[in-house]
Amino acid sequence: MNAIQAWWERLPRDTRDSFFLLGVITAVMAPHAGHLPWWSTALTAIVLGWRAQLAWRQRPLPSRWWLVAIVALYASLTWLTYRTLVGREAGITLLVMLMALKTLELRARRDAFVVFFLGFFLVLTQFLYSQSLLTAIGALLSLWGLLAAVVLAQMPTGVPSIAIAARRAASTTALGLPVMVLLFVLFPRIAPLWGVPTEAIGRTGLSNQLEFGAMNEIANDDSIALRLRFLDGSAAPPPDQRYFRGPVLSRFDGKTWRVPDPRVSQSWLRGLDDLALSGPALRYELTLEPLRIPVLPLLEMSPGGPGTDLPLPDLTLTRGPELQWLSPRPITERLRLETSAHMSWQAGLRLNRIQQQSNLELPAGGNPRTLAWARELAGQPRFADLAPGPRAEALAAALLAHVRNNEFIYTLSPGRYGEESPHVIDEFWLDRRLGFCEHFASAFVVLMRGMGVPARIVTGFQGWDPEAQDGYLVVRNANAHAWAEYWVDGRGWVRSDPTAAVAPNRVTQGQALQPSPGVFGQLNPTLWRALRNGWETVNNRWQQLVLNYSRQNQFDLLKKLGFERPEWAALGQALAGVILALAIASAAWIRWSSRPHDAWSRQRARILALLARAGVTLPAHASPAAWARTLRHQHGQKAEPAAQWLERLERSRYAADAPAPAWREFHQAARMLRP
């Protein structure tokens, strides 16, 4: 360690400062490496490495023609990647390029300040991808490093200590933190400005379509999708009732399921998928991570028929015809709400022929072997004399029994379907029999439709972690699930989960799909889970207290401050009052800091003030002995007592055994100087 420190101190000032600045720039750019194209990260690393080599060898910086060529290359690759030079992704890519290239023309202090300001802006752009606690800590450390580089650039020539610059930057950051907190608490949350920085849109297991194999990678995502806790003494439902309803899919092209045609769904079917709830309501609070789809998954079954609005801060959701909650735009911010759910419900009792037909459609010529198998099953004598309602239930039970009693395997690695034949349901149901929830749900719906029973797929989440974190139940992206609904005359839509027939633990016990734990997780799974749960608990506190601090929280704070009617005007008054108080405090601080605070400086100030009242003005920078000579020269014998007192004061200041003169003697001597 001492050898490294000695080597560092032997480096020239410019080389040390350049290395430190390049290290800070690398730390600022590192969080963007996962968002930028690979070529951008590679070119940026090459440019920074080139600059470090020039600093090490103390070589001159390259000519501007090199910079122009690199800019042209960067801009061309950006255009080829994004087909634009504007927008978030392309803009940040170009910003990283500008910051890296600016290090190749650090010829003056002005160029260094351009790099600093680009760095501050690049730190801010990190929050366009993530607002997690880890991102905030990283941004704060990057800010500290940039401020230290600014302080270092202002320090005099020689070999200044980077530690001193870091301490000064830390003190400056600490002074700014209270102002930052006050602005965070009182700055108005005005949509859509406050919702622009969004969490990186994670894979939630939900989309507006479902394709064989598409959920394999998603199911292995162990990150948190939502948190909930039950309120007012409501008990959690049993594991087999923990379904969060998301997109409903009814259009099938032979391989992919999609949402119903909006024109048909909204104009012909609105209001007909009626809902009847029974039993007690379970009240719960839900915090949802950002989605990439305009659907809000809520615990089945939340109240509200088709067309009902669910108002949230800056967003209003509408209940769709298939009883899912629809947003006018993709949900790209974290949502927090309180709502309720009923475990007993009926929907779609009055399904008309148009609705029935739309949920019976199958692609012409698709999956012929499976449909032939379905017709053979439906034609068995045991179903012949049943009424339509009981017949549909009996056919569904027969399909579940077939899955349960045959060699179907629930696996996350079923392999790809449809490579050799477009008839993916044939391949799954009759040949390979390997799959997970989407395969079983898709086959079930196709078979039910093939037997003349309206059916559709519902996607969402099922189950949550067995242990709560910080009072919240955790639903992970690994809980992503797909199940089926079929229509029964006299009962309406009935949920059927064929996954429960082949993997009961997945549904009846609410066990999520388990991702690969990694090397550390394999060595010590218990410690790994404890560390993961601890971090997620801390991150949840950050989300609840900071990221979920909303306009309503601001108004509640105004009530506590004494405002009877909290509104925007009251918030502006509180913010103006805080700014005024900060201005007064700053002025008082400047006034106080301009005055001397050590004993010797205060005594000198009192001497000059006393002489000034006697009509004598002396230079403040001179020593007491110099003041004594000036007094003798200007006032002669009359100033002798004051001059002698000042000389004794000088000796007491610098001599080891000289006593300090009495202050009252100088008062008397100063009065003798008055005209």
Side-chain angles (χ1 to χ4, degrees):
M1 188 67 182
N2 293 332
I4 296 177
Q5 183 177 1
W7 168 81
W8 178 261
E9 292 177 351
R10 286 196 302 268
L11 292 176
R13 165 73 186 273
D14 290 342
T15 302
R16 291 172 60 249
D17 288 359
S18 297
F19 282 173
F20 180 74
L21 180 58
L22 290 174
V24 172
I25 291 174
T26 302
V28 171
M29 292 180 174
H32 289 285
H35 313 302
L36 299 178
W38 68 268
W39 56 262
S40 175
T41 303
L43 283 178
T44 301
I46 291 173
V47 170
L48 295 180
W50 185 14
R51 182 63 180 86
Q53 185 184 35
L54 294 177
W56 170 254
R57 297 185 177 182
Q58 297 185 354
R59 297 287 182 85
L61 297 178
S63 66
R64 295 190 182 274
W65 290 110
W66 276 103
L67 303 183
V68 171
I70 297 175
V71 168
L73 176 62
Y74 230 109
S76 300
L77 292 175
T78 303
W79 174 265
L80 293 175
T81 302
Y82 300 109
R83 295 299 176 181
T84 183
L85 296 179
V86 296
R88 185 180 72 172
E89 306 295 340
I92 293 177
T93 301
L94 293 176
L95 180 63
V96 168
M97 177 267 295
L98 290 175
M99 188 172 180
L101 290 182
K102 194 62 182 177
T103 62
L104 292 176
E105 55 176 8
L106 288 175
R107 294 180 171 86
R109 182 176 296 179
R110 177 187 61 187
D111 298 322
F113 280 109
V114 172
V115 174
F116 299 148
F117 293 140
L118 287 174
F120 291 136
F121 189 77
L122 199 59
V123 169
L124 182 63
T125 60
Q126 296 176 14
F127 293 98
L128 295 175
Y129 295 96
S130 173
Q131 294 177 325
S132 68
L133 177 60
L134 193 61
T135 301
I137 294 174
L140 189 61
L141 293 176
S142 298
L143 177 65
W144 180 25
L146 287 170
L147 288 176
V150 172
V151 173
L152 194 64
Q154 300 283 3
M155 295 178 75
T157 58
V159 189
S161 172
I162 293 179
I164 295 176
R167 285 197 296 269
R168 292 183 181 176
S171 62
T172 303
T173 305
L175 289 174
L177 284 177
V179 180
M180 179 191 71
V181 172
L182 286 172
L183 290 176
F184 171 81
V185 171
L186 295 177
F187 193 86
R189 262 72 172 162
I190 302 175
L193 173 63
W194 204 255
V196 169
T198 63
E199 187 75 21
I201 300 176
R203 297 165 299 170
T204 65
L206 301 181
S207 69
N208 283 339
Q209 66 181 35
L210 184 152
E211 184 177 354
F212 266 50
M215 292 182 67
N216 190 12
E217 184 179 2
I218 296 171
N220 278 296
D221 184 358
D222 200 36
S223 60
I224 294 177
L226 59 92
R227 295 178 174 89
L228 75 155
R229 61 178 178 180
F230 290 92
L231 308 173
D232 304 330
S234 297
D240 60 353
Q241 296 294 320
R242 298 170 181 176
Y243 286 85
F244 295 81
R245 189 182 188 88
V248 179
L249 314 175
S250 61
R251 288 190 298 158
F252 186 53
D253 63 4
K255 188 174 183 179
T256 303
W257 291 91
R258 294 181 172 85
V259 297
D261 188 336
R263 295 170 298 179
V264 176
S265 179
Q266 299 297 326
S267 61
W268 288 87
L269 308 182
R270 176 178 287 278
L272 297 179
D273 219 1
D274 54 331
L275 176 65
L277 303 174
S278 60
L282 303 181
R283 294 280 303 167
Y284 66 97
E285 174 192 294
L286 181 138
T287 302
L288 183 75
E289 297 300 309
L291 303 176
R292 59 183 177 186
I293 59 172
V295 179
L296 175 67
L298 293 183
L299 193 63
E300 283 189 336
M301 180 64 73
S302 55
T308 304
D309 287 338
L310 177 62
L312 299 176
D314 306 321
L315 182 65
T316 298
L317 302 171
T318 303
R319 197 66 181 261
E322 293 79 23
L323 298 178
Q324 73 274 49
W325 289 100
L326 303 176
S327 169
R329 54 180 171 81
I331 299 175
T332 56
E333 66 271 4
R334 185 175 287 103
L335 294 181
R336 183 181 182 184
L337 68 151
E338 293 184 6
T339 185
S340 61
H342 293 258
M343 296 298 101
S344 298
W345 53 275
Q346 284 186 323
L349 290 174
R350 296 178 293 138
L351 200 70
N352 60 25
R353 291 186 178 276
I354 299 177
Q355 285 181 296
Q356 293 183 35
Q357 185 59 38
S358 67
N359 288 283
L360 284 171
E361 294 178 352
L362 290 171
N367 303 295
R369 292 191 294 144
T370 298
L371 295 181
W373 187 96
R375 288 190 294 269
E376 181 181 352
L377 175 65
Q380 293 180 6
R382 55 176 169 157
F383 305 115
D385 298 330
L386 296 177
R391 181 176 183 273
E393 293 179 286
L395 291 173
L399 290 181
L400 296 179
H402 179 78
V403 171
R404 191 179 300 112
N405 298 327
N406 288 273
E407 296 180 354
F408 285 89
I409 298 176
Y410 183 74
T411 175
L412 295 181
S413 304
R416 295 185 61 86
Y417 282 94
E419 292 184 338
E420 299 180 359
S421 170
H423 307 300
V424 292
I425 303 298
D426 284 351
E427 187 179 355
F428 166 72
W429 187 255
L430 300 173
D431 299 331
R432 294 169 55 187
R433 300 182 179 183
L434 301 173
F436 47 94
C437 57
E438 70 171 36
H439 301 90
F440 289 95
S442 297
F444 182 89
V445 172
V446 169
L447 286 161
M448 291 297 286
R449 289 186 177 188
M451 295 185 293
V453 180
R456 62 193 184 188
I457 289 180
V458 184
T459 60
F461 299 101
Q462 199 281 329
W464 50 67
D465 285 359
E467 297 180 358
Q469 291 185 17
D470 199 25
Y472 287 85
L473 298 168
V474 174
V475 178
R476 302 182 181 277
N477 291 321
N479 292 99
H481 196 51
W483 60 96
E485 286 182 345
Y486 65 95
W487 188 76
V488 177
D489 189 13
R491 290 187 59 190
W493 290 107
V494 177
R495 180 201 300 145
S496 180
D497 194 342
T499 302
V502 65
N505 291 341
R506 173 64 183 90
V507 176
T508 59
Q509 298 183 18
Q511 293 182 357
L513 303 173
Q514 296 299 319
S516 175
V519 177
F520 183 75
Q522 292 175 354
L523 293 176
N524 195 331
T526 303
L527 179 59
W528 168 250
R529 284 194 298 270
L531 292 175
R532 184 196 64 179
N533 293 343
W535 169 250
E536 289 176 347
T537 299
V538 173
N539 206 38
N540 179 50
R541 293 290 183 92
W542 166 262
Q543 293 172 5
Q544 300 295 336
L545 298 177
V546 178
L547 299 186
N548 288 329
Y549 183 77
S550 63
R551 178 175 57 189
Q552 186 59 46
N553 296 117
Q554 290 181 317
F555 288 166
D556 292 341
L557 177 61
L558 292 179
K559 288 182 180 179
K560 295 179 181 179
L561 294 178
F563 290 90
E564 296 182 358
R565 299 181 59 185
E567 54 184 0
W568 293 118
L571 189 62
Q573 292 173 5
L575 184 60
V578 169
I579 294 175
L580 179 61
L582 288 175
I584 295 174
S586 300
W589 170 264
I590 294 173
R591 174 71 175 173
W592 179 82
S593 60
S594 64
R595 301 177 59 185
H597 299 290
D598 61 286
W600 174 244
S601 298
R602 289 197 302 271
Q603 187 177 35
R604 288 169 58 88
R606 291 170 63 190
I607 292 171
L608 292 175
L610 194 59
L611 292 175
R613 286 198 297 271
V616 179
T617 302
L618 296 176
H621 63 276
S623 65
W627 290 343
R629 290 192 296 270
T630 302
L631 288 176
R632 287 192 178 101
H633 177 73
Q634 293 181 354
H635 300 279
Q637 188 63 31
K638 185 172 61 172
E640 188 62 28
Q644 293 179 3
W645 189 92
L646 290 171
E647 289 173 345
R648 293 201 304 274
L649 177 65
E650 178 93 354
R651 287 193 296 273
S652 70
R653 175 70 176 170
Y654 299 106
D657 54 352
W663 179 250
R664 64 177 180 275
E665 295 178 4
F666 186 73
H667 269 274
Q668 297 174 357
R671 282 198 296 270
M672 296 175 60
L673 296 175
R674 296 177 180 176

